[in-house]
Amino acid sequence: MKKIIKFEKDDCNPCVMVSNFFNENSVSFEAINPFDHPEIAMQYKVRSVPTTILLNDDDELMRIIGYQPNELNQMIESL
């Protein structure tokens, strides 16, 4: 099953932009703060926010760092 997880911080403007992009396109995602959950951030090798990852079960299909609308559209099309 495919799913999107997004690593974000509350005070990060690009993080908000990615969330708004997904919300405007009615795409569900799991938001994780890497500072609150460092073990999950380490598992996915996240080094900056926002980092958005498309997973199929546990396999990473796509990773986007920052707010990149064209790539986010590609991610949505891959769902």
Side-chain angles (χ1 to χ4, degrees):
M1 182 172 154
K2 292 182 181 178
K3 70 175 183 176
I4 294 175
I5 56 175
K6 180 172 79 81
F7 292 88
E8 63 178 18
K9 283 179 45 184
D10 293 338
D11 61 349
C12 165
N13 285 334
C15 299
V16 172
M17 293 169 71
V18 173
S19 293
N20 289 342
F21 186 90
F22 284 140
N23 292 334
E24 289 167 6
N25 288 284
S26 301
V27 174
S28 62
F29 61 94
E30 179 182 353
I32 299 170
N33 184 323
F35 299 96
D36 293 339
H37 303 283
E39 69 286 351
I40 299 173
M42 286 177 43
Q43 175 186 349
Y44 289 103
K45 299 180 175 112
V46 172
R47 298 192 181 271
S48 63
V49 292
T51 296
T52 309
I53 303 172
L54 174 63
L55 298 171
N56 185 17
D57 295 323
D58 288 329
D59 296 326
E60 183 176 322
L61 302 177
M62 186 175 191
R63 176 181 294 241
I64 301 168
I65 298 171
Y67 175 67
Q68 301 187 40
N70 292 334
E71 286 82 359
L72 290 168
N73 272 324
Q74 290 176 2
M75 183 176 279
I76 291 171
E77 291 170 5
S78 298
L79 283 174

